[in-house]
Amino acid sequence: MSLILSEQELVRRNSLAELYQLGINPYPQEAFKVDVTATQIHSEFPLKPEAFNQVSIAGRIMSRRIMGAASFMELQDSGGRIQVYFKRDDICPEEDKTLYNTVLKRLLDIGDIIGITGFVFTTQMGEITIHATSLKVLSKSLRPLPIVKEKDGVIYDAFTDAEQRYRMRYVDLIVNEGVKETFLRRTKVINSMRTFFNEKGYLEVETPILQPIPGGAAARPFITHHNALDIPLYLRVANELYLKRLIVGGFDGVYEFSKDFRNEGMDRTHNPEFTVMEIYVAYKDYLWMMDFTEEMLERVANEVTGGTSVEISGKVIDFQRPFKRISILDAIKEHTGYDVSGMNETELKDVCRKLGIETDEAMGKGKLIDEIFGGHCEHHYIQPTFITDYPVEMSPLCKRHRDNPELTERFELMINGKEIANAYTELNDPIDQRNRFEEQMMLSERGDDEAMFIDQDFLRALEYGMPPTSGMGIGIDRLVMLLTGQTSIQEVLFFPQMRPEKLRKAVSVQDFMKIGVSETWAAHVMKAGYITVESLQSEKAAVIQQKLNGYRKKNKLDIPAIQMDEIEGWLAGNTID
RNA sequence: GAUUUGUUAGCUCAGCAGGUAGAGCAUUUGCCUUUUAAGCAAAGGGUCCCGGGUUCGAAUCCCGGACAAAUCACCA
């Protein structure tokens, strides 16, 4: 962060100092009583005006319109904005008009947080407004906010730079209307699901994020190190294996909203850390889970949006039950014309070649079928659709299909061409499970770095016996995207992962004084464009002299012109402590 | 990782016939007691992302780099 402040920041710091001089603490300790919100005033004042004769409210100044002895401000609290009217003689009934003339008109800025008391009325323009009778500074803002204005529903000068919006989400939330709403909905989605599960009697649990074996999904993990144990630990890529251990332990239904971490690419649908809800229910199968998932999504959509359909990038998606169901092999047949059921690896590679899909040695049957589906079928499923009965090679934790041992009892829910949920009739045969892990190991040896590790403790748990169980995982971020009409995951995460901001090396006046620059000149040297000591020392003395004296003249500085021998002293490289 | 586009004042953006850096809002000063993206008048504010090159001269042209966005690739 540069130490060189913009003009507006300097003005605000000066205002801050003046407030202190006036005996006003711009960051007071004591609580401020808030007895009403902007939203309440807007909705209830027209019905019960007499209830708003004395209100106390706090918020951030978002606009100011000052005209002599009267001013209007827009105050923004957590729910919205309310206009405030100040009249000099009302907030300064005595002789001393400083609070109005100096504090309100000059020392307060857009972005400052204030508390006021007053009564609500309607202006001649018909806007519900608080007529303030007192004013208290609650927090002085030292940086200018982007000014976003709106008239007749048209937004002017919106704060749109995605990088700045994500890096400074706090600013985004303050100035961009609608950002808060997305995150309120996100919480509603989660609350709605949680209530649904709790009503069914399932237990919310917490399982380890730091895992010695990153199991439960085929993904590249983040690795870290535990010093005391001196072992590597992995950030979880899934919580599946732990939840199933709990089913072994005797719970009928367990679920967890889990932050998972995958060390893979980032784009508008992938963030390195993301939220998944996983639920496991004993004595159920994947057919039951399909019904359960439909019921859950229809209800969540209803509770969050007030209906079952949502619009996203021009497409209307309907969460009304029942959802379409189709097996993955039928889906491939339908969209490519190839019947890949029963094909061996060579035949599948042949199909891939004909479809223009690149293959490599590391790909087994499961991966090949996945590629065909991903490349030619997935994007067709806009309306919620269950894709079922995946090949056994693709699903090492899933039970074989009751009618065909080559397949598994698995479904993925596709919405808007993307996978949203994934569910199994869980594999509880410990012998089969061990074999499947070993097949994964072979894939790993062939070079598939996403293949799963063998979790011996998980196998031991299965050997004690797990009841027949169905489990389902759903990507919360992607679901929230659907239900808020957002097309990038960054819009539904408060703080999406960003490349670290490169901060300019902070230099201070003292750094320049160390090489002999006088205190008088040090600040000017920085303002004249030498933002590091190195940048100054790498310049020729004559150039520096010209530049500094030019700066002195331009800014009409009341100090003597700089002399050559003084500058040569700076460049000599002697440091002074 | 590839391609395309972008990076200019606090914010949104113009300027790219290479020739002294612009607008609106915001800021400062003055006027204004019910305004509405308030108004009127004046002023200040910029490493034109960074580093090289071409040129008498680069925000503008060329090369390299950083960062971002979009598309694609990768991604149970």
Side-chain angles (χ1 to χ4, degrees):
Chain A
M1 225 36 81
S2 170
L3 276 193
I4 297 174
L5 300 175
S6 71
E7 183 201 18
Q8 293 192 46
E9 287 172 287
L10 289 170
V11 166
R12 283 168 184 244
R13 278 171 154 78
N14 287 337
S15 299
L16 182 74
E18 272 197 66
L19 285 171
Y20 279 118
Q21 279 163 21
L22 289 171
I24 294 170
N25 180 357
Y27 304 106
Q29 287 81 3
E30 63 274 18
F32 184 84
K33 182 184 130 196
V34 174
D35 59 19
V36 70
T37 66
T39 314
Q40 278 173 343
I41 294 174
H42 284 301
S43 62
E44 294 168 25
F45 175 74
L47 309 171
K48 283 197 305 178
E50 67 283 359
F52 295 89
N53 289 332
Q54 177 62 40
V55 298
S56 184
I57 189 170
R60 192 184 292 274
I61 299 171
M62 296 307 288
S63 74
R64 298 195 303 161
R65 292 183 284 277
I66 295 176
M67 48 205 111
S71 330
F72 288 90
M73 284 185 187
E74 274 181 292
L75 217 58
Q76 176 168 289
D77 68 11
S78 69
R81 293 185 184 187
I82 182 79
Q83 180 168 264
V84 183
Y85 172 69
F86 294 93
K87 199 159 116 184
R88 180 167 57 206
D89 297 337
D90 287 350
I91 62 165
C92 304
E94 310 294 323
E95 271 310 287
D96 181 8
K97 305 296 183 191
T98 309
L99 183 63
Y100 185 86
N101 286 343
T102 307
V103 176
L104 186 146
K105 279 175 73 176
R106 203 158 56 75
L107 303 181
L108 286 185
D109 291 289
I110 289 175
D112 292 351
I113 296 169
I114 59 170
I116 60 146
T117 60
F119 59 88
V120 182
F121 74 111
T122 306
T123 64
Q124 289 175 11
M125 298 300 290
E127 180 157 349
I128 294 171
T129 302
I130 305 172
H131 187 130
T133 49
S134 77
L135 160 70
K136 183 173 168 66
V137 180
L138 299 179
S139 182
K140 179 77 193 151
S141 164
L142 296 182
R143 285 174 183 265
L145 280 178
I147 307 294
V148 178
K149 293 196 172 184
E150 178 267 328
K151 188 186 188 182
D152 302 331
V154 184
I155 306 287
Y156 297 84
D157 298 336
F159 178 56
T160 51
D161 186 297
E163 184 186 357
Q164 292 201 65
R165 287 184 49 229
Y166 303 151
R167 284 195 199 281
M168 299 192 286
R169 182 67 88 183
Y170 36 91
V171 174
D172 190 34
L173 285 163
I174 292 168
V175 304
N176 285 334
E177 209 183 332
V179 174
K180 246 184 195 164
E181 177 57 29
T182 300
F183 290 98
L184 291 176
R185 270 197 185 194
R186 182 185 173 106
T187 299
K188 267 192 198 168
V189 167
I190 291 169
N191 287 345
S192 172
M193 285 173 66
R194 179 174 280 134
T195 306
F196 180 73
F197 299 145
N198 288 347
E199 281 173 8
K200 305 265 178 192
Y202 304 138
L203 185 73
E204 182 165 16
V205 298
E206 293 179 279
T207 63
I209 291 171
L210 289 173
Q211 302 180 348
I213 295 170
R220 292 184 201 103
F222 284 93
I223 186 165
T224 184
H225 185 263
H226 190 277
N227 288 344
L229 294 176
D230 193 23
I231 55 164
L233 285 175
Y234 300 87
L235 272 62
R236 70 177 165 203
V237 295
N239 50 357
E240 171 155 1
L241 302 187
Y242 284 92
L243 292 177
K244 285 191 204 170
R245 284 171 170 95
L246 296 179
I247 296 293
V248 171
F251 293 105
D252 273 340
V254 289
Y255 72 93
E256 180 175 14
F257 287 93
S258 135
K259 260 293 180 69
D260 288 352
F261 305 84
R262 297 191 184 175
N263 207 341
E264 291 164 354
M266 289 163 55
D267 58 34
R268 68 180 201 289
T269 55
H270 296 83
N271 195 64
E273 57 181 290
F274 58 102
T275 306
V276 173
M277 193 295 304
E278 287 193 46
I279 182 165
Y280 291 82
V281 183
Y283 309 113
K284 306 295 186 191
D285 63 9
Y286 82 135
L287 297 172
W288 176 89
M289 189 59 87
M290 267 190 261
D291 295 337
F292 181 81
T293 303
E294 280 177 343
E295 186 187 346
M296 177 191 79
L297 283 175
E298 186 186 73
R299 170 162 163 177
V300 169
N302 245 316
E303 288 187 0
V304 172
T305 70
T308 57
S309 62
V310 297
E311 191 178 328
I312 186 154
S313 40
K315 289 169 284 198
V316 175
I317 291 165
D318 196 347
F319 287 91
Q320 175 91 48
R321 283 183 284 175
F323 302 166
K324 188 180 160 192
R325 303 178 183 193
I326 183 171
S327 79
I328 188 170
L329 298 179
D330 286 343
I332 289 173
K333 203 188 297 176
E334 188 180 321
H335 291 107
T336 69
Y338 290 102
D339 183 355
V340 297
S341 55
M343 281 190 181
N344 63 28
E345 207 171 297
T346 319
E347 292 167 319
L348 281 168
K349 282 197 174 166
D350 195 45
V351 171
C352 282
R353 209 187 57 244
K354 287 177 188 158
L355 291 171
I357 296 167
E358 283 181 37
T359 60
D360 63 55
E361 272 311 298
M363 289 179 175
K365 270 173 72 175
K367 189 90 180 166
L368 291 166
I369 289 174
D370 193 30
E371 289 291 319
I372 297 171
F373 181 78
H376 286 80
C377 309
E378 200 174 72
H379 59 276
H380 292 290
Y381 297 103
I382 302 302
Q383 296 305 321
T385 304
F386 290 114
I387 308 296
T388 66
D389 304 342
Y390 285 65
V392 67
E393 294 85 353
M394 292 173 67
S395 317
L397 299 165
C398 185
K399 196 177 268 186
R400 286 176 203 272
H401 197 279
R402 59 196 75 181
D403 301 326
N404 181 351
E406 294 282 294
L407 304 177
T408 55
E409 297 207 345
R410 171 178 180 183
F411 72 79
E412 287 195 358
L413 176 62
M414 311 297 303
I415 307 177
N416 197 27
K418 286 274 173 198
E419 177 199 339
I420 292 293
N422 183 22
Y424 305 147
T425 299
E426 300 296 338
L427 178 54
N428 63 344
D429 174 346
I431 308 288
D432 194 2
Q433 182 67 79
R434 188 175 292 275
N435 292 337
R436 302 269 204 100
F437 274 142
E438 276 161 8
E439 280 159 22
Q440 288 288 307
M441 283 303 283
M442 285 163 62
L443 284 175
S444 177
E445 278 159 20
R446 284 170 62 176
D448 183 346
D449 55 3
E450 291 181 352
M452 296 183 193
F453 297 76
I454 298 185
D455 186 332
Q456 297 294 349
D457 176 69
F458 172 67
L459 288 172
R460 179 166 62 193
L462 287 192
E463 285 166 6
Y464 279 97
M466 181 172 86
T469 298
S470 184
M472 185 266 288
I474 184 163
I476 296 297
D477 309 297
R478 290 188 185 172
L479 179 63
V480 172
M481 284 166 65
L482 284 174
L483 293 175
T484 55
Q486 297 297 339
T487 53
S488 81
I489 197 169
Q490 285 81 11
E491 293 290 348
V492 301
L493 300 172
F494 273 127
F495 303 106
Q497 193 57 242
M498 305 283 284
R499 225 173 267 269
E501 195 172 1
K502 54 172 185 188
L503 297 177
R504 236 174 234 163
K505 198 183 158 204
V507 242
S508 66
V509 166
Q510 281 71 31
D511 293 323
F512 284 97
M513 286 168 65
K514 273 189 191 154
I515 61 161
V517 181
S518 69
E519 192 170 354
T520 333
W521 268 105
H524 298 308
V525 166
M526 287 166 71
K527 290 204 82 173
Y530 296 105
I531 58 162
T532 63
V533 173
E534 292 72 34
S535 69
L536 178 71
Q537 292 189 316
S538 65
E539 194 105 85
K540 285 196 175 73
V543 176
I544 297 172
Q545 186 188 28
Q546 213 166 48
K547 208 159 168 177
L548 291 183
N549 285 331
Y551 176 87
R552 168 179 168 272
K553 195 171 169 187
K554 189 181 166 196
N555 292 285
K556 302 186 177 76
L557 298 180
D558 191 22
I559 52 179
I562 196 85
Q563 297 303 310
M564 256 325 240
D565 53 348
E566 193 176 347
I567 295 171
E568 277 160 4
W570 303 346
L571 305 189
N574 303 320
T575 56
I576 302 160
D577 286 316

